Amino acid sequence: MNLEVGTKVYLDKSAFVKAKIASTGALALSYTQTLRPGVKAAFGVAIDTHKLNDPTVGGSPHRVGAQFTFEN
């Protein structure tokens, strides 16, 4: 069984942060900002808290990302 708890907090009318933690130790954080109407930027990180100091060969269990959205 897996349990997840998350939240979304609006910083103002154009920006918000989200956070989620799972009982498996997965922690996810993101920040989204509307730059102008139709253009958004989002940045996020996902961390495996059980493997914080794990020098895994072949890649890290942690993720970092950026996303830009252009709408009509």
Side-chain angles (χ1 to χ4, degrees):
M1 185 165 124
N2 187 21
L3 176 66
E4 293 183 355
V5 177
T7 188
K8 181 177 182 180
V9 177
Y10 285 90
L11 303 174
D12 58 31
K13 66 180 184 174
S14 65
F16 62 87
V17 293
K18 293 190 326 186
K20 180 173 70 170
I21 184 84
S23 60
T24 59
L27 171 66
L29 304 168
S30 69
Y31 172 78
T32 302
Q33 174 77 51
T34 300
L35 302 175
R36 66 174 94 173
V39 181
K40 292 182 184 178
F43 305 95
V45 62
I47 300 169
D48 185 344
T49 60
H50 293 298
K51 298 179 181 177
L52 288 176
N53 296 318
D54 184 12
T56 305
V57 176
S60 173
H62 314 301
R63 305 276 186 243
V64 176
Q67 175 183 352
F68 294 94
T69 304
F70 300 94
E71 299 173 346
N72 291 334

